[in-house]
Each structure stands twice: as C-alpha cells, then as structure tokens.
Amino acid sequence: MSVVALVPAAGRGVRLGMNRPKALVPVKGESLLLRAVRGLLGSGCVQHVVVASPPDQVEVVAAELATLPNAHVVPGGAERTDSVRLALGAVAEVAPDARVVLVHDAARCFTPATMIRDVVSAVEAGAPAVIPVLPVTDTIKRVDESGTVVETVDRAPLRAVQTPQGFNIDVLRQAYAAAGDIATDDAGLVERVGGKVRTVDGHPDALKITTAFDLAIAEAVLATEESSPK
C-alpha cells in the first residue's frame, strides 16, 4: 500500500519579501519546494507526492518538479486548508491504495529522512495521527489584552510542532469533511473530531523557513556543509 505526501504550496510568501510563490524561493540555487519533495521521495517510504500550487502557477510548479518521479501538481486554494483539501481529493486518482498520508510544509525542506520514516512507521503501527515535536525552549508568558503579564507558563509539557504530520487517510478525510474553517494544523482538525494524536521526536533541521532571516541561515548552513571535508 502506498504512502502519499501532500504539500500545500499555494502561499505567496509575503514575509520572505520575494516576488514569487514562497515554495519557489531558491536556497543555494534550488527551490524550497524541489528540496522538500525530493526529500520526501528520497526518504524511502513515500511513493507519491501531491503538490497544491498557486492556481496560476500549475505549469511552472510542474516544470520545477519535472525531474522527480511521482510528483503530481494540482491547483491549490486561497487558504492552506483549501489546498490540503484539494490535494487530499487527488489521492484517490494518484494512489487508490494509499492508507497513510502525510502533510508537509515545503518551507521545512531540510527535514531528515529518519524523521519522515518515524512518522510513517508510527501511523503504519496503528496511530490514527502522528506529529513530530520538539520541546519548547523559550520562556512562555501569558498576557492580558493590555499586554500585561498574567502568568509564566510551565513549558515542561509544551511542544513545538513540525511536519510532516502523518495520518490514517480515512481519519484525515473525516477530519476535513468536518472542518468548516481555516486551520494551520491538520492534527488539530483530527483532535476536533475526537481523534488521538501521537507524537514522535522532531529534529532541529526541520526548521520552517518563513522570513528572509531564516533563508539566510539556511543558505549559511548549506554553504558550511558544502565546504566541509567529506
């Protein structure tokens, strides 16, 4: 049975300050999207990737991924939730035998293959939904409407969530069928319909490239790795 990854990539990337879709912003000559999709397919456990692109950039995105096998492009929507829903709808045609589906951010294009495999393995072992997480290291304050600190939150049970998030495909379909609003976290939709979400260890390399500063860090790290002795 196939594992399919969905990549919502219709965002415009305003915070990156680039005059192009965020997913097509290059890092050392290769786009975030190309790196992300290649990483998914190269993990050894993902057979197909469905990318939801800006509706007016489908041909451009398809050309960007033309060298990769089993990378499929569909028009995305106005919001991330719309794009995931549209990509999920294409799975029945792309991989009718799919039982595990991942949702992955193109902006997390350096996610290690081991982390992808850990998520898939946990779903295959019976978890309805799985998310990779990292402990929260910053001090967290709760504030009121005026900006005054109300309390310091105990960060011990808190976790920062990364992608790919993994799901039994029927569970994710049920969650999206019940979703009536915008969501930035697919596991949160599963929680709303009563599904249990399991965690696995995330990885610092799976950072999300959101701002120009993040992009500069990624390029610096790549430059260092390329110049290091093999």
Side-chain angles (χ1 to χ4, degrees), residues 11-75:
R12 294 296 177 179
V14 174
R15 282 176 288 180
L16 267 177
M18 301 286 187
N19 188 27
R20 68 181 77 187
K22 177 181 179 180
L24 296 182
V25 169
V27 181
K28 295 286 288 182
E30 291 188 329
S31 70
L32 302 176
L33 181 62
L34 178 60
R35 291 178 180 275
V37 175
R38 186 171 60 209
L40 288 163
L41 292 170
S43 68
C45 60
V46 176
Q47 286 73 48
H48 296 271
V49 178
V50 180
V51 176
S53 81
D56 61 346
Q57 298 283 321
V58 172
E59 292 184 2
V60 173
V61 171
E64 181 74 6
L65 303 175
T67 59
L68 300 179
N70 297 329
H72 315 270
V73 183
V74 300

Side-chain angles (χ1 to χ4, degrees), residues 6-8 36 40 80 102-112 115-116 119 130-133 160-167 184-187 200-203 205-208:
L6 315 179
V7 180
L40 288 163
R80 182 185 184 281
L102 306 179
V103 183
H104 189 44
D105 293 331
R108 297 187 188 274
C109 60
F110 300 111
T111 299
M115 198 177 99
I116 298 170
V119 172
V130 178
I131 56 175
V133 299
V161 180
Q162 300 180 314
T163 71
Q165 298 186 0
F167 306 90
T184 59
D185 177 61
D186 303 285
V200 296
D201 290 339
H203 196 284
D205 287 358
L207 76 164
K208 187 175 184 180

Side-chain angles (χ1 to χ4, degrees), residues 69-110:
N70 297 329
H72 315 270
V73 183
V74 300
E79 303 291 344
R80 182 185 184 281
T81 311
D82 303 321
S83 291
V84 175
R85 183 180 282 109
L86 289 165
L88 184 60
V91 172
E93 181 177 350
V94 167
D97 64 337
R99 291 295 175 269
V100 176
V101 61
L102 306 179
V103 183
H104 189 44
D105 293 331
R108 297 187 188 274
C109 60
F110 300 111

Side-chain angles (χ1 to χ4, degrees), residues 136-219:
V136 174
T137 56
D138 291 332
T139 297
I140 305 296
K141 303 281 187 180
R142 190 187 309 279
V143 300
D144 62 19
E145 293 180 357
S146 70
T148 301
V149 173
V150 175
E151 66 172 321
T152 300
V153 180
D154 179 11
R155 68 189 181 196
L158 301 180
R159 297 293 181 270
V161 180
Q162 300 180 314
T163 71
Q165 298 186 0
F167 306 90
N168 173 290
I169 193 168
D170 293 332
V171 170
L172 189 61
R173 283 171 172 158
Q174 178 188 1
Y176 264 86
D181 54 6
I182 297 170
T184 59
D185 177 61
D186 303 285
L189 296 180
V190 172
E191 293 169 35
R192 291 185 197 177
V193 296
K196 298 295 184 182
V197 180
R198 178 182 164 187
T199 66
V200 296
D201 290 339
H203 196 284
D205 287 358
L207 76 164
K208 187 175 184 180
I209 298 175
T210 302
T211 67
F213 182 71
D214 300 331
L215 188 62
I217 291 175
E219 290 183 332

